Each structure stands twice: as structure tokens, then as C-alpha cells.
Amino acid sequence: MASQIPTTTKQWTISSTDGSEGFNALQLSEVDVTPPGDSQVLVKMEAAALNYRDLIIPLGKYPFAAKKNVVPGSDGAGTVLAVGKHVTRFKPGDKVITLFNQEHIGGPISAANNRSGLGGALDGTFRAVAAFNEQGLVRRPDALSAVEAATLPCSALTAWNALHGQPGDGRVAAGQWVLTQGTGGVSISALQFAKAAGARVIATTGSKDKEAALARLGADHVINYKETPEWGARARDMTGGVGVDHVVEVAGPTSMRQSINAVKTAGVITIVGFVGGTEDDREPSFLECLSNLFTARGVLVGSRVQLEDMCRAIEANPERLRPVVDSKVFGLDHLKEAYEYLQSGKHFGKVCIKID
């Protein structure tokens, strides 16, 4: 066991997941720190990052399991304080990041893997000290700060899986066209990963102020969907009428019609979220896959093997693939304000928490 382990730690919990309390369900408390179990790693958390999922759990809109009084947050970075007697993958002093689904080590996700999500089924990262199974951690890239590294476990890995996780010829390749939506964490990471692979990127946004920022990140074309409601057809025109090879669909039913209009014959639409809501009269039917001859592929984050692959890619190209963190970083005591800021949509990139 390592020395100087705190006796207590601050942590947030969610007292209600039925939506009745809104963000007031977030409760901050001080609890005792217990030594790690035989296969556990005790981590001093240094940073965490928010995702859309974190917002909808206390609002009662999360479609997966969330245990009572769960510690929220799936994304975190920190330093190992101590390890259990059976731990072989880490030692005190190692810099680590969390794995979203703690039991998804490799291969396709299973129903059991899907029940091991941090901040939902298992206690998560919005706390100062946390214990995780050694299998649910990965060494963080040396080139990144703790705040930057904390952005990787959910949105970045989801983007990586969307572009590189499809077997065979489905992976993004040089010269292909990729369509990203908006300026959230998944979309910006997808833009960066696609450009690093040599692809051409069409990015959408509803903000005039964010158009230039997307271009600076490497987007070849930017479409303002508020000015161009039929942005799917516009994206297709930009490819010479052929259509894009990959769409990273983050908004859900509200934008799926336009994604279908944009994608090429035999292209891929990877569905990774529903930030635009879950219901819309314009939602296409499943027969659209047949009539338009594309593949619709659902992705739920990714495995530890994929996270390790992604971290190696970032380590090899740190400046090109450096995570984009919003300029406003919150302290752990101000988590509710961070939730409200993410919900406002004013952010660009990841909304992060610095944990002192």
C-alpha cells in the first residue's frame, strides 16, 4: 500500500433519476476512503469530463440502468495512489484514465459489458478519490494534461469506434468523405480522427461563431444547418453528387433524414447519440436502409483495446489529435454549474472538471 492516502474524499451522488428533482438531484458529500480491494486500483482523480449522458440521467431520460445514489461521471484522469495485492497492470504513481464500460475489454460489446458503465450502473468519476478494477483503466498519453486526457473515455473513443471500429473495408480511409454534426466532443474528435486518416470532412453547425473554429480544426467544408435546412443534399453536392462515405450521427431522429440524404450508396451512418431528442415526426423508417442502400450502425463507446489503440494514435500525433477543451473549466464543487453550462449548448469541445 502507498502512503498518504486521504482518509476522506468529496463525491457527488444522484439522489433521484426520475427527473423530479432535475439537477438538484446532484448531492455533494464527504465520505470515508477505503483501501482498494485485491483487484482494485485506488486513484487520486485530477480531472473529469461531462457528456450528454450525464445530463439525462438525473433528468430521467437515460435508457439504460442507473443504480440508486450513483456517483455520476464516466470520464476521468488521475494518478494511482495504491493497488490491491492481485493487481499487476498498474503501480502507485502511474497516470491513468477510466474505461467507460468497465468490463468491455475487447471484441463486440455484450449485454453484460453494457451493464458495467461508470456513472450509471457503477460509481463514476465525479469524486476526488476513487477505486476501480484494474481491468477498467488505461495508461493515459504522456503528451496530454489530466484535463485533456479526461476527455478521452467516452466521446473520443466513440468517435474512434465510429471511424475505425467497423471491420473490413468499413474503416475510414484517405480520400473518403466524412460528415460530422455540431461541435460537441464526439463530433470534434471525429473531425480530428478523420483528418488524421487523410479523409475530407464536412462539418455542420448551427452557430455562425463556430464555423471558423471548425475550419481551423481542419474541416474542408462547413454547413450552417440553420441557414441550410436541407444540409444533407448540400453535403452530397459537395462530394460531386456521390455522397459521403461516413456519417457520424449524434443528433438522432431530428437529423437522420438529412444524414440519409447525404450518405452515398453503400455508405455508413454510425448512430452514436440522440442529443436532438428521441422523438420526431420526420424519423425515417427502417426500410430507408434498403431503399437507400446504406448501413446504419449503432455504437456504444468502445472497448479497452480500442481505447489503448486510440491513446497510441494520440501519443504519436499529440498536436494534431490534442483534445479540444472548452475555455470554461469548472471545479469539483461547481458540478451543477458545469451541467447547466453543457445543457446551454454554449460550449465548444469538452466541458471539463479540474479536481484539486
Side-chain angles (χ1 to χ4, degrees):
M1 298 291 292
S3 59
Q4 298 183 348
I5 297 174
T7 57
T8 63
T9 182
K10 288 183 177 181
Q11 70 173 27
W12 289 88
T13 54
I14 300 176
S15 60
S16 170
T17 58
D18 63 6
S20 60
E21 299 178 55
F23 295 156
N24 288 327
L26 292 164
Q27 302 291 324
L28 180 62
S29 62
E30 188 99 7
V31 299
D32 292 338
V33 172
T34 57
D38 289 349
S39 298
Q40 288 186 315
V41 175
L42 193 67
V43 179
K44 169 62 181 75
M45 304 303 297
E46 297 166 359
L50 274 68
N51 296 287
Y52 176 70
R53 166 188 185 256
D54 297 311
L55 301 185
I56 62 176
I57 289 177
L59 297 179
K61 298 178 180 180
Y62 188 56
F64 302 107
K67 75 169 190 171
K68 186 177 180 179
N69 293 318
V70 68
V71 176
S74 58
D75 297 17
T79 299
V80 175
L81 288 174
V83 300
K85 64 181 181 181
H86 296 323
V87 171
T88 59
R89 298 185 65 241
F90 301 100
K91 65 183 185 305
D94 285 346
K95 305 293 185 181
V96 296
I97 59 174
T98 52
L99 175 66
F100 183 98
N101 281 312
Q102 291 280 283
E103 297 178 12
H104 188 192
I105 306 305
I109 193 167
S110 68
N113 298 157
N114 193 28
R115 292 192 293 267
S116 64
L118 288 180
L122 304 177
D123 286 334
T125 59
F126 295 158
R127 46 183 166 162
V129 177
F132 305 97
N133 187 284
E134 68 166 328
Q135 303 301 332
L137 296 170
V138 167
R139 284 178 173 79
R140 81 186 195 214
D142 291 335
L144 303 186
S145 69
V147 170
E148 291 169 334
T151 69
L152 301 179
C154 183
S155 59
L157 182 56
T158 298
W160 180 268
N161 192 353
L163 297 177
H164 293 287
Q166 190 174 7
D169 296 333
R171 299 182 181 188
V172 67
Q176 291 185 334
W177 287 94
V178 174
L179 174 66
T180 65
Q181 301 172 348
T183 54
V186 173
S187 299
I188 288 179
S189 292
L191 191 166
Q192 292 175 301
F193 292 145
K195 292 302 297 181
R200 294 167 287 184
V201 175
I202 301 170
T204 69
T205 180
S207 168
K208 289 291 293 183
D209 295 338
K210 295 177 180 179
E211 291 180 24
L214 287 167
R216 285 195 297 272
L217 285 172
D220 298 274
H221 302 280
V222 180
I223 304 173
N224 189 312
Y225 58 77
K226 290 183 177 178
E227 297 177 352
T228 310
E230 298 298 319
W231 51 265
R234 177 68 180 130
R236 177 178 287 273
D237 288 343
M238 289 173 170
T239 68
V242 176
V244 301
D245 299 89
H246 298 261
V247 178
V248 182
E249 173 59 65
V250 303
T254 59
S255 64
M256 189 63 176
R257 170 68 61 196
Q258 296 304 316
S259 293
I260 292 172
N261 291 343
V263 74
K264 76 173 189 179
T265 299
V268 177
I269 301 176
T270 301
I271 303 169
V272 305
F274 47 93
V275 298
T278 57
E279 296 180 5
D280 193 277
D281 291 341
R282 297 165 295 170
E283 183 174 2
S285 72
F286 69 92
L287 286 176
E288 302 269 356
C289 284
L290 176 62
S291 58
N292 291 275
L293 300 176
F294 66 91
T295 297
R297 173 177 176 253
V299 159
L300 185 63
V301 197
S303 69
R304 195 185 78 197
V305 170
Q306 290 174 312
L307 182 58
E308 290 168 334
D309 287 344
M310 184 187 75
C311 285
R312 281 191 288 269
I314 293 170
E315 193 71 77
N317 302 274
E319 296 312 312
R320 193 171 192 179
L321 298 179
R322 188 171 299 280
V324 176
V325 176
D326 187 85
S327 59
K328 195 169 186 178
V329 176
F330 296 81
L332 184 62
D333 289 351
H334 299 284
L335 185 66
K336 287 184 184 180
E337 289 93 328
Y339 270 60
E340 291 164 356
Y341 181 63
L342 179 61
Q343 187 183 47
S344 76
K346 296 177 181 178
H347 61 290
F348 186 91
K350 294 295 292 183
V351 176
C352 293
I353 306 294
K354 193 172 187 301
I355 305 173
D356 296 321

